[in-house]
Amino acid sequence: MTVKSILDQYHQSLNSLYSKEEITAIFYRLLAHYEGLTRLDVSLSPNVKIDDNKLLKALSLLKKVMPWQYIIGESEFYGINFKVNQHILIPRPETEELVDWIIKDHSNFQNLSILDIGTGSGAIAVSLAQNLPDSKVSAMDISKEALAIAKQNAENQNLDIDFILTDVLNLTKLPKYFDIIVSNPPYVRESEKALMHQNVLNYEPDNALFVPDDKALMFYDKIIELAINNRVKYVYFEVNEFLKSDVEALLKYYNLNNYQFKKDFFGKWRMLKIELPK
Ligand SMILES: C[S@@+](CC[C@H](N)C(=O)[O-])C[C@H]1O[C@@H](n2cnc3c(N)ncnc32)[C@H](O)[C@@H]1O
């Protein structure tokens, strides 16, 4: 089949699920993965014929709203290629902005020790270790399947990261001193499920995303308590855009006044940096 005729099939089959631009972008991402062909290659040889097997199999999964990242088992984050599977959350562009904030704040510091809580694919831990090469990064998760993928992602970049299998909610103290804690914890309330896409609800792990409505800030509360008790210097969080004022109330409760919220690229309150008292 020609590339163009497969692309047409993609558009016909997926137009109720994705926009035209999204379908084209997904198609070329899969084409690069399976056939090593770029959009430029195709525009230079529009009638090139390819083996359609894998692309049509992928199309049948896309029709069942499976995210393309799980289909090919890869996703990009902060310029790094990550292995992904259904045990971990697909890393999001807004989390890249959080990582970028930390790197910009700390690129002139040396020997930092950093802990990523709820590491999932290892996206935050790996990109920090890669871009702050003098630092020592540790990464924690409750899921051993997630840690297995995160370890693989660290090894693929030749990075030495300490992985810790633990439930942070049951921790009373941190395993060692850290200068910085970063976390993108589960923060979507159960009641927000109605606002979410089927591809997230059907395929991404519940325990990476959701918290009970009446305990929406349980991870923030626990992590701030651990940070204060262990004299951590900075905490960076990804936050729920709808819960900024609740998080602010929590900061007041802990008497923390030196903090900054930041909006993401989409204009949503998404990031928080706290500088703890010395
Ligand atoms: C929103 S995902 C973030 C994944 C990754 N850091 C990222 O930004 O793409 C939250 C992660 O927290 C982990 N998690 C959930 N409950 C936890 C707990 N009680 N203790 C430690 N990690 C937990 C999940 O397994 C998941 O990997």
Side-chain angles (χ1 to χ4, degrees):
M1 262 179 137
T2 63
V3 170
K4 184 173 175 322
S5 57
I6 308 177
L7 178 57
D8 287 346
Q9 275 200 44
Y10 267 59
H11 278 289
Q12 277 160 22
S13 308
L14 300 173
N15 63 11
S16 61
L17 295 174
Y18 297 103
S19 71
K20 247 178 158 175
E21 295 70 29
E22 282 171 323
I23 297 170
T24 304
I26 292 170
F27 175 78
Y28 280 107
R29 183 66 186 83
L30 298 186
L31 186 69
H33 180 79
Y34 292 128
E35 301 294 327
L37 289 176
T38 63
R39 215 167 165 153
L40 180 63
D41 295 329
V42 176
S43 61
L44 293 175
S45 319
N47 296 320
V48 65
K49 288 210 164 111
I50 54 165
D51 176 4
D52 53 20
N53 251 330
K54 289 181 182 147
L55 282 165
L56 294 182
K57 201 167 162 208
L59 179 58
S60 68
L61 295 171
L62 287 167
K63 283 200 269 188
K64 294 180 188 160
V65 295
M66 183 185 264
W68 63 265
Q69 293 92 335
Y70 288 144
I71 297 174
I72 65 170
E74 286 178 13
S75 183
E76 254 190 36
F77 182 88
Y78 213 75
I80 301 170
N81 201 28
F82 282 83
K83 292 269 163 230
V84 298
N85 66 21
Q86 285 182 54
H87 293 293
I88 55 102
L89 187 93
I90 297 165
R92 306 292 206 266
E94 45 275 34
T95 311
E96 291 180 309
E97 295 186 55
L98 180 69
V99 164
D100 198 56
W101 194 5
I102 302 172
I103 293 170
K104 294 216 165 100
D105 276 357
H106 297 280
S107 56
N108 292 328
F109 290 73
Q110 284 174 341
N111 301 319
L112 291 169
S113 77
I114 304 173
L115 173 63
D116 171 22
I117 298 180
T119 197
S121 61
I124 296 175
V126 167
S127 42
L128 289 178
Q130 180 91 289
N131 289 281
L132 296 171
D134 286 327
S135 58
K136 180 68 203 149
V137 178
S138 303
M140 180 183 284
D141 208 287
I142 195 173
S143 156
K144 65 175 189 316
E145 292 84 4
L147 282 186
I149 286 282
K151 262 184 201 161
Q152 214 181 317
N153 284 322
E155 278 166 21
N156 289 348
Q157 304 302 320
N158 291 317
L159 295 169
D160 179 22
I161 292 176
D162 282 336
F163 290 98
I164 308 163
L165 177 65
T166 233
D167 177 351
V168 68
L169 297 174
N170 283 334
L171 270 189
T172 47
K173 69 187 202 35
L174 296 174
K176 62 172 198 167
Y177 171 75
F178 293 100
D179 299 294
I180 300 172
I181 292 181
V182 51
S183 185
N184 172 19
Y187 61 64
V188 183
R189 289 165 296 177
E190 294 280 345
S191 59
E192 290 173 58
K193 274 188 176 171
L195 305 172
M196 300 184 76
H197 287 289
Q198 274 316 107
N199 56 1
V200 176
L201 293 174
N202 292 358
Y203 292 99
E204 300 209 64
D206 267 19
N207 70 347
L209 287 165
F210 297 108
V211 281
D213 279 45
D214 59 345
K215 289 186 192 147
L217 297 187
M218 63 184 178
F219 286 97
Y220 299 87
D221 192 356
K222 184 69 195 182
I223 292 169
I224 290 171
E225 183 198 328
L226 286 168
I228 292 173
N229 291 344
N230 292 271
R231 311 191 69 77
V232 169
K233 289 187 190 132
Y234 296 94
V235 178
Y236 290 82
F237 281 123
E238 188 166 314
V239 295
N240 183 327
E241 68 199 86
F242 305 118
L243 295 177
K244 177 175 178 271
S245 53
D246 301 65
V247 175
E248 254 178 320
L250 184 68
L251 297 175
K252 283 222 162 55
Y253 169 81
Y254 279 108
N255 250 329
L256 297 170
N257 301 309
N258 203 352
Y259 61 83
Q260 186 187 349
F261 283 90
K262 220 175 173 175
K263 285 185 178 170
D264 65 16
F265 177 79
F266 304 103
K268 296 177 174 170
W269 291 110
R270 185 64 71 203
M271 292 160 270
L272 167 65
K273 165 176 144 184
I274 311 165
E275 187 171 349
L276 289 113
K278 292 200 175 84

